């Protein structure tokens, strides 16, 4: 029997999450932006299956069901979709000892009504599907308001499985201005076993926000495991509003994509901040997850399967015939490289839209 | 029975090629850089199958067998690999009416010996495998010396199928200094039905080189169809030596990746230059191929399957709730955007290594 | 008789300061970096005279004596130098109706001793020279610690002339962490008639800090005129430590220099923030001061003499023979231009040194 | 008696030219862009005198009369102006042993008429003034067409003084397409003692063009001294058309300004190319000329007066109190620095206008 998420975290293990599905599947031709709904699980299950497999192969210990924005309100057929999503994740997870996490995200009714009963009914409907399926734990993710996330945690907690909760907020706090420390306290008091941040901002900013959550918990005398699943993009100019306000969103984000070396740095920072559930969100591709796994390999004692096709820090370049290439076969080279964009007519930062 | 490549081109159709396999599979965890050999076709056929499917869905009329660098000299088990590669491409091609092209590339013995017999023997061995399999046409690709490419064309021509030949050279000519126009003439005289450029340089530079080939052919009174399958990266500073000399190669190329809008511009330039076989190479992902197909949809009269998940020029943003997003639902916005890199500490160009 | 500084400010006039002398004279060959001491006033008075004249011609209402860092501790012969500096400023001021301001800056003894008596003795010695000369008012400038600035104000106040006080601090406060609002309160309570910010940070940051000073004064029920004399450089990455920590300081600041259009924007921001004494510091050249004067010309009802050699917003380009040049003869063009650096191998931001 | 220009060059000495007057005087408030006519010599002689003095002090061996665009056709009162310009340059030159060069530039009538007699009459009128004054040699400069420059050389040659001729052309040739080598041959055959390039393009491009001139002369079996007086700006994207087509011209060129270290590199390149008359044009300030003089000090055996206020390669920073500053007191630091622009929203290159 596989070891549960809390057993792993309680034992001090570093758990690696998977990356973002919808943005990667958009590039592969199966998901439509900016809706980012997950109908691919029924329309093209082979594509979802393959991406699950790649993240797993790259080192992810957890596979998340592709149930993002998958409530009836967003999607007429969410019931079927959610069941199919659970089956796909479970199928690939069972090829090895991966865990399956099912996620719920913010509801379309909250911003207009802020009605607790309505929100909870939507979340409950999703939980009902998950309960039928063999899910290992739940993640309440991509919430901009802690209030709604708390309601979601309260519902998911009734499912009898561990619950993680990640907000997509900045160090300045949630959309109502609640500081990250207070958000964390409210989520943990509502029953969350793990709290943290996902999406919307770049890795180092998200790590900074999780640190503020940690400080809030410590001041309140509370304990919880910490999660971080940030963007895989450089977004230095949009630290509160999130990346959707960037001029490049969603169809010209390429130049902002992080390298594998950026990811190793991020993983180390997250680890040093006390975070033990380290994954990714939009912009993360399988090789980014592999980079986390490689950076954490001294702590974890293992390398992922996909590292068979990758030398640590460019080691595979060592036997290349040209001297300029063999010089790149070392950590120092890649760690210090400031990669050029090849775009001399483009700026390095843009002005985010006002939301 | 499906229409052959020359029938299509002779009829004036625009044929869309697929993108680069090895670099994309490296990111997915199945190919090792910088060797870029294709053992994935036997080790992880599901991954190759999926990428074939994505390129086809994105609009590619041709699927290339993953036989890059797949000679005995590079790979002990190339025979099996080449057979498996042919089967995979054929399997996916047969799901619809796609063509299968098998490729041979420069040999490791040429730079040291320049021995015609040796090179031809290596190429012949690959052709023998292809002859057993149901291949529609051949592509002699990724040759830096026109002399070796001519030898390869001479061998492949004996296979009785149409032959395309693409060099990875700059407007300044091949590695021996032979100008593109003369290269084209020699390839066509050796029997190539289609000539052009692949890999090593960015799209607009490759189009420029193909134009020089075209001029050379015209001066010589020769005719051939034109192919272009460039890099999917911005590489303004390495116009002769090719992208391997860039400081970012191969593990920090992210910031140079082209957007879908860059690709539409490229496809239009290629078309205007008289090129009718338009595809991609390293750096191309499925959505880049879709962008070519969308740009060429007026000429072709069809949109690819993957356009179901994509509005032309950002049209799907039109119903988004925020005004700054709906303003992005038009061609003018994306065509004029100068995307930021989010990397204020990085330069826009680097100094290529001397080769 | 010319109208005094307080009469002007009390009447609601916009007073324009001059720019930085030492950095500009370094480029002209008369001042040595990083000492930036003003011995040029005796060694090459013609050079100082000419720069005074240029600032005056560009619209400066005030000429500051070149007495920066001119205490005995910095300079053996400061007495003579300070007298000469006063004479030079007065000579040029008297060619029209400009005011002469004499400045004192932070002392070398403060950081080691923090001894009030010592600091006051140094300041008093400088005041003694100023008292002999025909000075219109005093500016206590370039202080990093409000405590030392308060001592200097207390001394200068005994001179019987109006006193302005400008700190070189960031929105985060002075070097001891005193917030800008509290700094302003302390300076005004010590007797300063005008308070504000000079040097160390870019214009918009300095304006922001002055706003915080203003808020502090309002909360304390105090009133004072506001001054701003910022850097003429873009320094987005060094908001607290100041520009000396930038990798480019002091000999490669060129690419950061502001355009005249940046200065018009700055002047307008300063005006909108309620600042009525608007000038410059290091990096300001005469044409930058002219840009302030041109932006403020609707409020002031006059243009400076140097505007005879300058059309507003590029108007002088209107009759140029080429169409691309005449298109530049308008405000819209220059206001929206994002000027290129011509340096594709350089970054847009550097990492400041730790102080 | 001072040593003449040809005696110096014939003896193998490195002669240092001065920088551009009109663009620097525009910033000081005395010249109007884009006309750039030199009426300042009568309106504000003290400003011109001071700039002459600064260039001389920075190491210039030659002071050029401020007679740019100073023909009757451009300026009603050119006679007086040219006389005054000669007197000013002579006055400052006589303070030491500097040489005075008088310049003539392209005429406004050439582009419309291409009439030899008309052009020669205009040039003759300027020469008549120079003949009355104590001029040491002549420079025919800023010609876009070699034909017109040849006519000017023919006229100036009758003055009995050495004649230099500099075109503002690119490596691709003059405006009629005449290659640089041929241009040089024609100018030398017309009587020019020195030939080269001035203005319009950045230093390294200008050096490259002078090299082509040198090759042309060598092939023709001719000899002449070589001059270069380039822009003081980085203009990588406008290699043929010249900097006026840049979007930033003429009022937002700041970010392109060269550092003193760029100038040292340029001076060394020019020297290595065999050029012995090395100066500057638009964008050069006194400290840029000093940088040339410092770079050439081993060859020349002297440092300029202004080096009293400058340590070689930042040496004056060595005694600064902070360690990050003392680390900057060496050649390696400044030579390798890639200076940031502080402008993250601006590109590194712009698209030049079509002329």
């Amino acid at each position: 029997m596989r070891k549960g998420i809390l057993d792993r975290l309680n034992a001090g293990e570093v758990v690696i999450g998977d990356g973002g599905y919808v943005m990667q599947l958009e590039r592969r031709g199966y998901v439509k932006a900016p809706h980012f709904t997950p109908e691919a699980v029924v329309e093209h299950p082979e594509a979802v299956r393959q991406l699950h497999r790649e993240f797993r192969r790259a080192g992810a210990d957890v596979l998340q069901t592709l149930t993002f924005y998958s409530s009836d309100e967003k999607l007429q057929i969410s019931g079927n979709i959610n069941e199919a999503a659970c089956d796909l994740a479970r199928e690939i997870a069972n090829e090895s000892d991966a865990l399956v996490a099912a996620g719920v995200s913010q509801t379309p009714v909250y911003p207009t009504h802020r009605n607790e009963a309505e929100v909870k009914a939507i979340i409950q409907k999703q939980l009902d599907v998950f309960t039928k399926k063999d899910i290992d734990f739940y993640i309440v993710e991509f919430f901009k308001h802690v209030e709604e996330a708390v309601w979601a945690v309260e519902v998911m907690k009734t499912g009898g499985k561990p619950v993680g909760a990640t907000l997509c907020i900045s160090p300045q706090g949630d959309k109502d201005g609640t500081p990250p420390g207070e958000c964390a306290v409210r989520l943990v008091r509502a029953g969350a076993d793990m709290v943290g941040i996902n999406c919307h901002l770049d890795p180092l900013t998200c790590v900074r926000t999780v640190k503020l959550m940690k400080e809030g918990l410590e001041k309140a005398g509370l304990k919880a495991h910490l999660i971080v699943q940030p963007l895989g993009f450089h977004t230095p100019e949009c630290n509160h509003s999130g990346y959707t306000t960037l001029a490049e969103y969603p169809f010209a984000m390429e130049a902002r994509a992080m390298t594998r070396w950026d990811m190793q740095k991020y993983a180390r920072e997250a680890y040093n901040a006390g975070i033990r559930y380290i994954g990714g969100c939009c912009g993360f591709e399988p090789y980014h997850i592999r980079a986390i796994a490689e950076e954490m390999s001294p702590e974890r004692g293992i390398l992922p399967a996909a590292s068979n096709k990758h030398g640590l820090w460019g080691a595979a370049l060592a036997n290349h015939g040209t001297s300029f290439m063999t010089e790149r076969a070392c950590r120092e080279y890649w760690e210090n490289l400031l990669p050029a964009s090849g775009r001399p007519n483009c700026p390095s930062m843009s002005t985010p839209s006002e939301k």
Side-chain angles (χ1 to χ4, degrees), chain A:
Chain A
M1 198 197 126
R2 64 175 63 97
K3 201 171 172 183
I5 183 71
L6 294 182
D7 291 343
R8 296 184 194 206
L9 292 170
N10 288 336
E13 291 178 24
V14 177
V15 171
I16 295 178
D18 53 4
Y21 286 84
V22 290
M23 195 167 263
Q24 182 59 15
L25 287 172
E26 196 278 335
R27 294 192 174 181
R28 297 186 182 191
Y30 300 101
V31 163
K32 191 166 190 172
H35 319 300
F36 291 127
T37 47
E39 61 278 11
V41 295
V42 292
E43 294 176 359
H44 293 281
E46 75 284 1
V48 179
R49 202 179 273 124
Q50 177 60 24
L51 187 52
H52 274 316
R53 209 175 258 138
E54 293 171 16
F55 280 132
R56 175 60 184 145
R57 177 172 160 77
D61 298 310
V62 178
L63 296 179
Q64 268 191 252
T65 58
L66 183 48
T67 51
F68 182 71
Y69 270 164
S70 190
S71 60
D72 281 8
E73 281 62 30
K74 276 273 181 183
L75 216 56
Q76 295 315 319
I77 46 167
S78 70
N80 292 343
I81 284 178
N82 285 347
E83 293 205 15
C86 292
D87 291 342
L88 285 175
R90 173 53 64 204
E91 175 190 339
I92 305 303
N94 280 355
E95 291 176 6
S96 61
D97 65 342
L99 297 172
V100 172
V104 292
S105 28
Q106 61 187 7
T107 66
V109 304
Y110 181 82
T112 41
H113 301 61
R114 298 210 170 197
N115 183 304
E116 185 175 344
E118 273 186 83
V119 167
K120 286 189 163 175
I122 292 170
I123 302 291
Q124 181 65 50
K125 206 160 174 184
Q126 291 171 272
L127 175 58
D128 291 343
V129 175
F130 299 156
T131 304
K132 288 202 296 186
K133 298 290 174 179
D134 182 25
I135 300 299
D136 297 307
F137 68 97
Y138 302 135
I139 302 183
V140 164
E141 71 172 353
F142 200 75
F143 282 79
K144 290 179 192 156
H145 298 85
V146 69
E147 181 184 54
E148 190 186 12
V150 161
W151 295 343
V153 168
E154 288 169 353
V155 172
M156 298 309 283
K157 202 59 196 168
T158 66
K161 299 287 174 70
V163 174
T166 52
L167 306 177
C168 52
I169 67 170
S170 84
Q172 293 173 49
D174 86 341
K175 256 201 139 174
D176 293 321
T178 319
E182 190 184 328
C183 289
V185 167
R186 291 176 60 183
L187 291 166
V188 171
R189 291 206 168 124
D193 304 288
M194 304 164 277
V195 293
I197 295 293
N198 83 307
C199 206
H200 259 213
L201 291 162
D202 60 49
L204 299 188
T205 304
C206 287
V207 168
R208 203 147 44 90
T209 314
V210 176
K211 276 185 187 174
L212 295 173
M213 289 180 132
K214 190 187 174 196
E215 288 170 23
L217 292 175
E218 283 166 0
K219 274 190 200 152
L222 294 172
K223 275 209 162 179
H225 296 292
L226 301 172
I227 317 186
V228 68
Q229 307 225 79
L231 290 184
F233 298 112
H234 290 276
T235 62
E237 66 272 63
C238 68
N239 282 333
H240 184 60
S241 51
Y243 79 135
T244 63
T245 59
L246 289 177
E248 294 78 18
Y249 179 87
F251 295 132
M253 296 291 290
E254 282 79 357
R256 296 176 176 273
M258 294 206 152
T259 68
R260 56 197 77 195
W261 321 115
D262 291 328
M263 289 309 181
Q264 293 206 218
K265 191 178 171 195
Y266 144 65
R268 185 53 54 194
E269 290 280 322
Y271 182 83
N272 289 344
I275 304 169
R276 291 296 177 269
Y277 188 132
I278 304 173
C281 200
C282 297
F284 271 72
E285 301 185 34
Y287 75 106
H288 291 126
I289 295 297
R290 177 174 64 192
I292 300 175
E294 293 187 349
E295 179 66 29
M296 288 294 112
S297 62
E299 283 76 14
R300 290 164 50 94
I302 47 162
L303 278 172
S307 290
N308 292 339
K309 299 292 176 187
H310 193 239
L312 293 179
W313 292 107
L317 303 170
N319 298 320
H320 198 276
T322 54
S323 64
F324 70 79
M325 202 65 85
T326 55
E327 284 163 14
R328 298 178 190 172
C330 65
R331 175 171 182 158
E332 199 195 359
Y333 180 84
W334 294 108
E335 209 167 42
N336 293 312
L337 181 71
L338 292 165
S341 67
R343 291 173 162 85
N345 288 72
C346 294
S348 65
M349 298 223 271
S350 59
T351 306
S353 302
E354 293 299 320
K355 210 157 190 170

